[in-house]
Amino acid sequence: MSFTGEVKSEIINLTTMETEKISELSGIIHNSNISETGIRIHSENNAAIRHIFSLVKEIYKINPKITVRRGYNYNKNYIYILEITSKANEILKDLGIKDGNNVLNIPKSYIIDDESLIRNYIKGVFLMCGSINDPKKSRYHLEFLVSTSEYSEYLSDLLNKFELNSKVLKRDNKYMVYMKEAEKIGDFLRIVGATKSLLYYEDIRIYRDHKNMTNRLNNCEQANVERTIATANEQVKDIETIMNAGGLALLDPKEQIIANYRLKYKEASLVELSDIISLETGQKLTKSGVNHRMKKIKMLAQRIREKQN
């Protein structure tokens, strides 16, 4: 089962009050096919369809029709279709989806009257049109694919009441409400009550973050080594330019010491070079002192090159 399927299977088993079930069912049916003949709900998740069947039966005392057919996608998964024809108009009005004969673009306000109702409404929407990447297999990504621009903005606003930083993007003839921040996706799982999935998600996220941090540190260390070697090579070239032009006698005694040690330890950093000189000469020399003398050597080498050109 996919990670999305695991999350959906987990949240449908949560215990909720009747008002919360109504909000959840509103989110489900609002993202289904609504026509004059009734309501059709499609899903590849058998457990989700059975859950929706139970909600409708419990709240409205009817038995929706369920049919199964092969899908047309590459995997040819089974598609489960739940149809509501009896009391369809009454159900749509009760769920805040229909006002008179008009299907509303966004549900009536009483469906999301408090935080608990909002959580369950979002849960219902996720069951119908939500998906979330397995953090172990791909990048962090959670999305809802909805039909209209108005509804996408509405759903994004609901999510952002919990500071999830969701965004909206047009995709073909639909609209995608999505999140890409790992921490926010973890917060979403907490909001809909997917505790087991959240623990799995956070374990993978911590592992990946630690691995990425280690890689960054290694890359940073490698880059520092490469910069140290490149700088040392430039300094050796400067010293060789001076030697070819007239020898190290062109330098003052302190700079001659630095030049000789640089030629002897060609890949040492300035810190390492200062430690070596301090140890072998018995005279304390800091990194800044080495750097200062190297700058003078570089200036002399540049003047020599300018005259040669």
Side-chain angles (χ1 to χ4, degrees):
M1 184 186 293
S2 68
F3 184 55
T4 296
E6 290 177 1
V7 174
K8 290 181 179 181
S9 294
E10 182 178 0
I11 62 178
I12 63 178
N13 290 313
L14 298 174
T15 302
T16 53
M17 297 185 298
E18 184 168 345
T19 53
E20 295 170 338
K21 290 175 182 177
I22 289 173
S23 292
E24 179 186 346
L25 194 56
S26 178
I28 291 169
I29 292 181
H30 206 120
N31 291 279
S32 305
N33 295 326
I34 300 171
S35 66
E36 293 181 0
T37 58
I39 303 162
R40 285 169 61 93
I41 301 171
H42 298 74
S43 178
E44 292 184 4
N45 191 312
N46 181 26
I49 285 293
R50 285 188 280 109
H51 172 66
I52 298 167
F53 178 92
S54 298
L55 286 177
V56 175
K57 182 178 180 180
E58 178 185 345
I59 299 171
Y60 298 107
K61 313 304 179 187
I62 61 172
N63 291 319
K65 177 185 175 183
I66 295 179
T67 55
V68 183
R69 64 172 173 81
R70 281 282 189 179
Y72 299 110
N73 59 358
Y74 179 76
N75 294 323
K76 295 186 177 179
N77 294 332
Y78 285 111
I79 295 178
Y80 303 90
I81 304 168
L82 184 148
E83 294 180 88
I84 303 172
T85 53
S86 175
K87 296 185 178 180
N89 204 49
E90 174 190 333
I91 291 171
L92 291 171
K93 290 179 179 179
D94 189 52
L95 296 179
I97 298 172
K98 201 168 184 181
D99 186 11
N101 294 321
N102 299 318
V103 176
L104 304 174
N105 288 329
I106 59 175
K108 292 186 176 180
S109 60
Y110 65 81
I111 293 296
I112 54 163
D113 216 20
D114 59 37
E115 184 177 302
S116 176
L117 297 183
I118 295 173
R119 289 173 185 265
N120 280 275
Y121 184 84
I122 291 171
K123 170 184 163 184
V125 178
F126 182 76
L127 285 175
M128 288 310 302
C129 61
S131 65
I132 178 171
N133 286 356
D134 188 334
K136 186 184 291 185
K137 298 179 181 178
S138 57
R139 69 190 189 281
Y140 301 117
H141 183 80
L142 183 151
E143 69 174 50
F144 299 82
L145 204 57
V146 300
S147 299
T148 67
S149 174
E150 184 179 1
Y151 188 75
S152 68
E153 295 294 344
Y154 170 78
L155 178 58
S156 182
D157 288 343
L158 283 186
L159 293 167
N160 291 338
K161 288 181 183 294
F162 300 97
E163 299 182 355
L164 295 179
N165 196 27
S166 69
K167 296 179 174 61
V168 175
L169 180 68
K170 194 174 190 305
R171 179 193 280 178
D172 298 327
N173 62 337
K174 292 199 172 185
Y175 295 84
M176 180 174 68
V177 182
Y178 69 96
M179 289 175 272
K180 289 186 176 293
E181 297 174 58
E183 184 179 347
K184 301 300 183 183
I185 295 173
D187 289 341
F188 171 84
L189 293 174
R190 188 179 298 106
I191 287 165
V192 295
T195 305
K196 182 179 177 182
S197 299
L198 172 63
L199 293 175
Y200 166 83
Y201 184 88
E202 289 296 337
D203 282 346
I204 300 301
R205 184 172 76 88
I206 291 169
Y207 168 78
R208 286 182 61 175
D209 288 351
H210 178 73
K211 184 178 179 180
N212 290 338
M213 182 180 68
T214 301
N215 289 339
R216 285 195 296 269
L217 290 173
N218 288 339
N219 292 339
C220 182
E221 183 177 347
Q222 180 62 30
N224 287 337
V225 170
E226 291 174 358
R227 280 195 296 270
T228 297
I229 293 174
T231 300
N233 288 337
E234 290 179 3
Q235 292 168 348
V236 169
K237 289 179 182 178
D238 288 340
I239 295 168
E240 289 174 346
T241 296
I242 295 170
M243 291 174 67
N244 293 334
L248 295 183
L250 296 173
L251 300 169
D252 68 29
K254 292 182 179 180
E255 292 161 7
Q256 289 179 30
I257 294 173
I258 298 296
N260 283 320
Y261 272 96
R262 170 49 80 201
L263 293 174
K264 186 177 179 181
Y265 301 98
K266 292 185 178 181
E267 294 185 356
S269 66
L270 294 184
V271 173
E272 292 169 338
L273 207 58
S274 67
D275 290 341
I276 292 169
I277 295 172
S278 297
L279 182 64
E280 295 189 4
T281 64
Q283 297 180 354
K284 179 67 177 176
L285 184 62
T286 63
K287 172 189 172 182
S288 61
V290 174
N291 188 48
H292 177 70
R293 295 174 192 179
M294 282 294 186
K295 285 183 178 179
K296 289 189 174 182
I297 292 172
K298 184 177 184 67
M299 291 173 61
L300 177 58
Q302 287 176 339
R303 288 200 297 270
I304 291 171
R305 293 189 188 105
E306 289 171 358
K307 288 183 180 179
Q308 289 175 345
N309 293 333

